Amino acid sequence: MKALLTTLPNTITMLRFCSVPFVLYLLLLGYYEAAFWVFLAAGVSDAVDGLLARILNARSSFGAYADPLADKALLIVSSITLAWLELLPLWLVFLLVFRDLLIIGGAIVFQALSQTLTMQPLLISKLNTAAQITLVAAVMAQAAGFILLGGLEPTLIYLVAGTTFLSGGAYVIVWLRKAMALEDRT
């Protein structure tokens, strides 16, 4: 039973990975209501797996890497698809993808040079993820006819753009500081 409980957060993370093609498929077929509910369940699962990992003391190195990758896969695929469907601005999706490539590339370079990379999400990055989930869910809900965003949509778009920019910049600053600290030791 204990082994099952300690793998539960990672199982939830893997289910979120598995939801990605379903969201893509549903969006492309125009089943916005179903896409919204699957996306919402996947978004909620992000909070649930983290909470369970803390409560059950089931944090793992696999989960530390898989959880943010599952989030990124869900958000990037959903955002690209919504831009393809002309429901999100293309410039925003380019910004989101560029930030993720910057973070992944920076992490790879930092790890290669220092051999000391640890996955530690920044508060601004968590806020960015929450803003992205909110925007994507709201756009899907609007496409499904559940809500009418009106003037709130541009506000959400610029909130996501701002937190994306700040988050990418914050990671660059953290890596530069760590690199300078490592250089000072040698």
Side-chain angles (χ1 to χ4, degrees), residues 12-28 34-35 38-43 45 66-81 136 140:
I12 293 169
T13 296
M14 294 312 298
L15 288 172
R16 191 163 59 258
F17 262 123
C18 293
S19 74
V20 173
F22 290 107
V23 171
L24 172 66
Y25 177 77
L26 293 167
L27 285 173
L28 290 175
V38 173
F39 180 86
L40 186 64
S45 81
D67 183 66
L69 288 175
D71 295 342
K72 289 299 132 197
L74 180 65
L75 286 168
I76 292 298
V77 167
S78 297
S79 297
I80 289 171
T81 307
V136 170
M140 285 185 195

Side-chain angles (χ1 to χ4, degrees), residues 6-178:
T6 57
T7 60
L8 186 58
N10 289 338
T11 302
I12 293 169
T13 296
M14 294 312 298
L15 288 172
R16 191 163 59 258
F17 262 123
C18 293
S19 74
V20 173
F22 290 107
V23 171
L24 172 66
Y25 177 77
L26 293 167
L27 285 173
L28 290 175
L29 291 180
Y31 297 129
Y32 299 121
E33 290 178 20
F36 168 79
W37 291 114
V38 173
F39 180 86
L40 186 64
V44 168
S45 81
D46 182 34
V48 170
D49 64 10
L51 180 64
L52 285 175
R54 283 187 295 282
I55 290 172
L56 300 173
N57 195 24
R59 294 180 182 173
S60 67
S61 58
F62 173 80
Y65 287 95
D67 183 66
L69 288 175
D71 295 342
K72 289 299 132 197
L74 180 65
L75 286 168
I76 292 298
V77 167
S78 297
S79 297
I80 289 171
T81 307
L82 290 171
W84 175 266
L85 297 168
E86 299 181 353
L87 297 172
L88 273 180
L90 193 55
W91 66 264
L92 179 64
V93 175
F94 279 125
L95 181 63
L96 298 175
V97 171
F98 177 76
R99 174 214 173 249
D100 288 343
L101 291 175
L102 174 75
I103 291 172
I104 292 167
I108 291 169
V109 168
F110 189 82
Q111 172 62 25
L113 295 175
S114 70
Q115 301 296 310
T116 62
L117 178 69
T118 55
M119 296 302 291
Q120 190 73 294
L122 303 174
L123 176 60
I124 187 64
S125 183
K126 290 181 179 189
L127 291 172
N128 178 249
T129 298
Q132 285 183 40
I133 290 169
T134 301
L135 173 63
V136 170
V139 168
M140 285 185 195
Q142 180 170 262
F146 295 150
I147 61 172
L148 184 60
L149 291 173
L152 182 59
E153 186 172 6
T155 303
L156 288 172
I157 288 169
Y158 289 112
L159 175 67
V160 168
T163 58
T164 299
F165 182 77
L166 291 172
S167 174
Y171 277 106
V172 169
I173 290 168
V174 166
W175 290 327
L176 288 174
R177 285 183 180 163
K178 286 183 178 183

